[in-house]
Amino acid sequence: GRGCQLTRPTPASARETPETGTVSLPSRQTLVPVSPESLARAAALLRRDEVCAFPTETVYGLGGSALSPAAIERIYALKGRPKYNPLIVHVADAQAAARLAGGWPAVAQQLADRFWPGPLTLVVPRGAAVPALVSAGRSTMALRVPAHPVALALLRTAGLPLAAPSANRSESVSPTTAAHVLSSLPAVPLILDGGPCPLGIESTVVDLTTVPPRLLRSGALPLRALLALLPDLELPPAAQSLGTGSAGSAAEQAALAAPGMMSRHYAPRAPLWLLAPGQTSLTPAQLAELPPPRGLLTYKPLPELAAHFHQVEQLAPDPQAFAADLYAALHRLDDSGVASIAALTPPPDLDWHAIADRLRRAASR
């Protein structure tokens, strides 16, 4: 169609090579249903500076004691995660967050009262008890209280704050089921299977160490709800230019302060290409750039386009419902054996910008 465009994957800015470690395969079945016994087993692992995977309302997390340098090292090694990419610390309640923090401003308590438990991460000064490795050496730390009964039960059973990034190899598609975790990280000693994650994308991250507060990562907490309480919230350029372009240098700088902000992230195995928001067809030249068999990810029917694709994932047109199935859909496309994926860029609307951010990073090279 006239005016249609296929956005080429944007090159990622220079990155360090992730530091990886040697991991051993488990000697027994590691994916277990949630029960008092499996929670106790997981808590025992965590108290021994080991790790386990567990569900949250956003994605599955790879958890280890946030007070243990050995456990934090294990998380980075298993994920192949670069040491400059900080971790989010999960706690059971706001009181535990305030005790760990090196400072707890009034706005942090206001946000906690309104949105916790829930998919909001707050960046505050790091307390002395928390190893610098959690925060990639920074004087700040990221904290949240998850809104998932299994995550909360594990936090209370273990009696520890848990550093817990997504339970997958660094840069790849985040896991929203226990099976995704097992496929990506077979060396995790224990995976608590709590079913699919209801929200499906990571938490929203807000830096409270700046004036005004600054959005570091858009996520599962709708921005409209956040802006209602924080009308002066500063949005980064990457969030202002919704749906197009690369993550850019501003987001790369933010990667030092928050997880999930590297220019390449959330990426499926098959190369991902972005279609313009109103695109309904492809020219022969554009089609030639997508090696077959092809996968299509869309939020509306595209019959003319779909004829050229081996597998089509049409998700709900509602942004929250779309987000809940986004990563699972990318996993399904990868598992179907497609050699390339085209995704329809969401409309340039505030409600869609967390999804636009994920797709933009997934398409980066």
Side-chain angles (χ1 to χ4, degrees), residues 141-181:
M141 67 181 299
L143 285 158
R144 90 175 184 99
V145 178
H148 193 288
V150 176
L152 290 171
L154 180 61
L155 285 161
R156 290 169 181 144
T157 303
L160 292 167
L162 298 180
S166 57
N168 59 301
R169 291 293 294 177
S170 183
E171 297 187 359
S172 63
V173 181
S174 299
T176 56
T177 69
H180 294 160
V181 180

Side-chain angles (χ1 to χ4, degrees), residues 105 107-108 111 122-125 138-141 205-216 230 232-236 254 257:
V107 66
L111 289 165
L122 303 179
V123 175
V124 295
R138 296 179 65 93
S139 61
T140 59
M141 67 181 299
V205 182
V206 174
D207 185 355
L208 299 182
T209 66
T210 64
V211 179
R214 184 165 55 118
L215 178 73
L216 296 182
L230 286 181
D232 61 341
L233 181 69
E234 180 185 337
L235 304 183

